[in-house]
Amino acid sequence: MAESPIDTALGTWNVPECPFTIEYLPRVLDDIRLAVVDAFFSLPRGGAEIGGILLGNHSEGKVTISEYVALDCEHATGPSFVLSPNDEVELRKLLERSTSEHPALTPVGWYHSHTRSDVFLSDADLAIHKQFFPEPWQVALVFKPHTFQPMRCGFFFREADGSIHASATYREFVLETIPLRPVPINGMAAPASEVETTGLVIDIKAAVPEEAPAPAPVEEAPLPIFEAPTFGMPTERKSWPWMKTALGLVLGCGVCIAGFQFGQNWLPKFVSSGKTATKAVVTASAPVPASASGDPKEIAKLKQDLAAQIEETHKVERMLADQSLLVSQATKMKDRVAELEQSLSEAKAQAADVAKLRKDLAASNDRNRKLSKSLTDTQNELKQQQRKRLGNQDPAK
């Protein structure tokens, strides 16, 4: 099968610091990109990192990448691309096997993905590059996948003095998805005239052999007629008896709460006034003696007695109120007396502490006076002894 221009057109990457130009088949990098993306979404939080060998050719001032071979890393230390001893053995075998399987190609470098870091070479990456790819023309290619953005890539190489700029690539590039390639039909590739390219999208028309007989028309059976479903049609509004019941319960609870508050705050006052009014009514409705039933004087006297009784009742109520006030004031005074007694007890305790401190201070002063007197006596005795010694040393005596 003849290769299309998409398969043979080479991409180039070069910077002034690189001693050679790097050429690559876009198909190779796109195949690696698909594998990197598949591993990136294989695990949560960054997926797994993968790597492999880049195969191609090298000449004076140019390195060409035309094939790749993936390394099956066991990820012994986690999802990052860190080689275990078994992986290193497998990489050596893969390098030897790639030479025998692809005799026209040679390992020109390696590739790996960074899913949790940027495009750079870590210390572990540099160790792999120096151990397995020591030639000055061998390169390293780092892929950086992203969930919603195109993949970023960067080449790393040995400069003229042998050093590697590992902290970042000199020129990062975005690896776009390449257009689709024609798919063989019945073992044959679609002719170039059947491939229509519009921008980045390729529409492939299937090449149907001319001798293929046209299919016989098939009579289509009439479609059965189904009744239209009633989804979304208006229905009769249902009453909500449970909502009415709930509303009634809420109103009933509100009435009960209001009645309870009324009983707590206003019922005693109404009961008190009701008792007074009841006494007055009972007194007023008491049977009147027959002798006074028609005497205006007796009636006036009864009214005066009733008014006097009501006034007496008011006096009693005021006395009770004053008594309640006195009881409240007496309670407050009792609490205040208790506080004062507690303060007095604390003051007595402080006074006792002060007296003890004064006593200790006096004792301390007494000891200081005794020590001072003893020191003075000692000094005087020392002076007398010194005079005696001086007198004994006087040659005139």
Side-chain angles (χ1 to χ4, degrees):
M1 181 182 69
E3 292 185 345
S4 66
I6 299 174
D7 293 329
T8 58
L10 293 175
T12 60
W13 188 94
N14 53 21
V15 292
E17 293 81 5
C18 187
F20 46 84
T21 299
I22 300 175
E23 295 181 348
Y24 57 88
L25 284 176
R27 172 190 61 81
V28 174
L29 267 63
D30 189 66
D31 290 346
I32 298 175
R33 178 190 65 82
L34 293 175
V36 169
V37 171
D38 184 62
F40 177 62
F41 289 105
S42 64
L43 296 173
R45 300 181 182 87
E49 297 180 354
I50 63 172
I53 303 173
L54 297 174
L55 299 177
N57 302 102
H58 66 92
S59 59
E60 187 66 26
K62 183 174 64 175
V63 172
T64 303
I65 301 171
S66 54
E67 195 54 75
Y68 76 99
V69 181
L71 174 64
D72 188 11
C73 179
E74 66 179 2
H75 294 101
T77 60
S80 300
F81 189 74
V82 178
L83 301 185
S84 65
N86 294 334
D87 293 331
E88 293 180 355
V89 173
E90 184 63 26
L91 180 55
R92 290 190 181 92
K93 293 180 180 179
L94 194 63
L95 289 170
E96 297 175 357
R97 190 166 59 249
S98 63
T99 304
S100 60
E101 293 178 356
H102 304 276
L105 303 177
T106 184
V108 295
W110 66 296
Y111 71 89
H112 66 289
S113 60
H114 279 184
T115 60
R116 296 170 180 82
S117 57
D118 217 337
V119 180
F120 77 106
L121 290 182
S122 64
D123 293 339
D125 300 337
L126 285 173
I128 295 174
H129 192 70
K130 293 177 180 179
Q131 181 178 359
F132 296 96
F133 305 94
E135 299 297 335
W137 40 265
Q138 288 180 320
V139 299
L141 177 58
V142 178
F143 292 82
K144 172 62 180 177
H146 194 277
T147 306
F148 303 108
Q149 298 177 5
M151 186 171 299
R152 295 153 44 208
C153 305
F155 282 101
F156 296 86
F157 53 89
R158 289 180 176 87
E159 300 185 25
D161 58 355
S163 62
I164 301 175
H165 187 261
S167 60
T169 179
Y170 279 112
R171 184 169 70 87
E172 186 178 290
F173 64 98
V174 175
L175 188 60
E176 299 286 353
T177 305
I178 65 173
L180 298 175
R181 297 187 293 275
V183 179
I185 301 175
N186 295 332
M188 299 174 59
S193 60
E194 299 296 331
V195 180
E196 298 179 358
T197 305
T198 305
L200 297 178
V201 180
I202 296 181
D203 299 328
I204 302 175
K205 297 181 179 179
V208 182
E210 295 181 358
E211 65 274 14
V218 180
E219 294 184 359
E220 297 182 357
L223 298 175
I225 300 175
F226 298 96
E227 295 183 359
T230 59
F231 301 130
M233 298 182 65
T235 56
E236 182 181 357
R237 296 184 64 181
K238 297 181 180 181
S239 61
W240 302 91
W242 61 270
M243 185 176 290
K244 296 179 182 179
T245 304
L247 184 60
L249 290 175
V250 171
L251 291 176
C253 292
V255 171
C256 292
I257 293 172
F260 178 77
Q261 293 293 334
F262 176 81
Q264 291 290 326
N265 298 330
W266 299 98
L267 186 59
K269 299 180 181 179
F270 281 101
V271 170
S272 176
S273 60
K275 287 181 179 180
T276 304
T278 302
K279 291 180 181 179
V281 171
V282 170
T283 305
S285 60
V288 181
S291 59
S293 59
D295 191 353
K297 294 182 179 180
E298 292 294 334
I299 294 174
K301 185 176 183 302
L302 289 174
K303 289 182 178 180
Q304 291 178 359
D305 294 341
L306 178 60
Q309 188 174 1
I310 292 173
E311 181 64 24
E312 188 68 22
T313 302
H314 290 169
K315 290 181 180 179
V316 171
E317 290 179 352
R318 287 194 293 270
M319 291 174 63
L320 290 174
D322 294 340
Q323 186 177 1
S324 299
L325 180 61
L326 290 174
V327 170
S328 176
Q329 292 179 353
T331 303
K332 292 181 180 180
M333 290 295 294
K334 184 177 179 182
D335 295 339
R336 180 59 178 168
V337 169
E339 293 177 0
L340 292 175
E341 289 178 351
Q342 184 177 0
S343 300
L344 180 60
S345 177
E346 294 176 356
K348 289 181 178 179
Q350 292 178 358
D353 293 340
V354 171
K356 186 175 181 300
L357 290 175
R358 288 179 178 175
K359 184 178 179 181
D360 294 341
L361 181 61
S364 177
N365 291 334
D366 189 26
R367 286 196 298 271
N368 291 336
R369 284 194 297 271
K370 291 180 180 180
L371 290 174
S372 179
K373 184 176 182 301
S374 176
L375 180 61
T376 302
D377 295 341
T378 303
Q379 290 176 349
N380 293 334
E381 185 177 356
L382 289 174
K383 289 179 180 179
Q384 291 177 2
Q385 292 178 359
Q386 187 176 8
R387 289 193 190 97
K388 289 180 179 180
R389 284 196 298 270
L390 291 175
N392 295 333
Q393 295 176 359
D394 188 2
K397 292 184 178 181

